[in-house]
C-alpha cells in the first residue's frame, strides 16, 4: 500500500470523525478534534498509570474514557455542541480538581491544565457563556488551592 493511499485513508477517516468542513461548523470541528485527542491521550495515560501503579490517576483516565466519548457523540452525531461543552467543562473541572490532590498540588501540572481547558472554552463559547465558565473555573481553582 502506498504512502499516498494511507495518507488519503487517514484524512478521510479524520474528516468523518471531526466532520466535513462544508457541513459542520468550525466550533464543532474544534471540539471534535479536542475530544479525539483527549481520548487518545487517556488511552496512553492508562498504560502509563498502570506502569507506575498510580491508581488515582488511572481512575481519572478510565472515567474520562467512559464519559468523554458521550460528549463527543452528542456534538458530532446529535449536533448538541453546547451540552457537550458543558459535560466536557464539568468533567475537566472535577477531574482536574481531583488530579490537583493526586499530583503534588501547586507543584504539579494541574494549574497549567486548568488554563489549557479555559483556553479551549474560550475558543468554543460565546462571551456570555464564557464569563460563566471563567468564573466557575476560577472558583474551582481558588477552592482547591485554598484547601
Amino acid at each position: 500500500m502506498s504512502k499516498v493511499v494511507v495518507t488519503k485513508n487517514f484524512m478521510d477517516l479524520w474528516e468523518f470523525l471531526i466532520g466535513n468542513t462544508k457541513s459542520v461548523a468550525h466550533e464543532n470541528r474544534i471540539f471534535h478534534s479536542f475530544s479525539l485527542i483527549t481520548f487518545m491521550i487517556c488511552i496512553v495515560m492508562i498504560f502509563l498509570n498502570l506502569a507506575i501503579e498510580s491508581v488515582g490517576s488511572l481512575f481519572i483516565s478510565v472515567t474520562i474514557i467512559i464519559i468523554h466519548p458521550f460528549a463527543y457523540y452528542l456534538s458530532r452525531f446529535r449536533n448538541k455542541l453546547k451540552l457537550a461543552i458543558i459535560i466536557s467543562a464539568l468533567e475537566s473541572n472535577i477531574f482536574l480538581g481531583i488530579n490537583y490532590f493526586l499530583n503534588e498540588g501547586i507543584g504539579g501540572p494541574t494549574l497549567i491544565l486548568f488554563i489549557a481547558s479555559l483556553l479551549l472554552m474560550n475558543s468554543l463559547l460565546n462571551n456570555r457563556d464564557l464569563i460563566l465558565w471563567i468564573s466557575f473555573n476560577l472558583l474551582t481553582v481558588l477552592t482547591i488551592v485554598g484547601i
Side-chain angles (χ1 to χ4, degrees):
M1 188 180 280
S2 74
K3 182 179 178 181
V4 174
V5 172
V6 171
T7 303
K8 182 179 178 344
N9 289 341
F10 175 76
M11 294 305 291
D12 289 344
L13 175 64
W14 187 254
E15 185 173 321
F16 169 76
L17 291 172
I18 66 170
N20 185 300
T21 56
K22 296 174 185 158
S23 62
V24 178
H26 186 68
E27 292 83 4
N28 293 59
R29 290 170 48 84
I30 291 170
F31 182 78
H32 302 155
S33 298
F34 162 76
S35 295
L36 294 169
I37 292 167
T38 298
F39 188 75
M40 289 184 273
I41 289 171
C42 282
I43 288 172
V44 171
M45 292 306 298
I46 285 175
F47 292 108
L48 290 174
N49 289 324
L50 282 170
I52 64 172
E53 299 177 359
S54 178
V55 177
S57 295
L58 177 65
F59 167 76
I60 290 173
S61 298
V62 169
T63 307
I64 290 172
I65 281 186
I66 292 168
I67 295 171
H68 206 77
F70 178 67
Y72 167 80
Y73 170 80
L74 286 174
S75 176
R76 176 68 181 97
F77 299 106
R78 295 290 181 201
N79 202 26
K80 296 185 178 189
L81 177 64
K82 190 167 185 170
L83 178 58
I85 290 171
I86 290 169
I87 291 169
S88 180
L90 289 172
E91 168 193 66
S92 174
N93 277 342
I94 290 167
F95 290 118
L96 286 175
I98 295 169
N99 188 60
Y100 178 84
F101 295 105
L102 296 175
N103 288 310
E104 301 181 31
I106 200 87
T110 305
L111 294 179
I112 298 295
L113 293 172
F114 267 110
I115 293 169
S117 72
L118 191 58
L119 180 63
L120 176 69
M121 295 301 125
N122 186 37
S123 67
L124 296 174
L125 295 171
N126 62 43
N127 288 339
R128 185 177 59 89
D129 292 336
L130 186 58
I131 291 170
L132 171 72
W133 285 110
I134 287 174
S135 301
F136 181 69
N137 206 318
L138 186 60
L139 181 64
T140 303
V141 170
L142 291 175
T143 300
I144 65 171
V145 170
I147 290 180

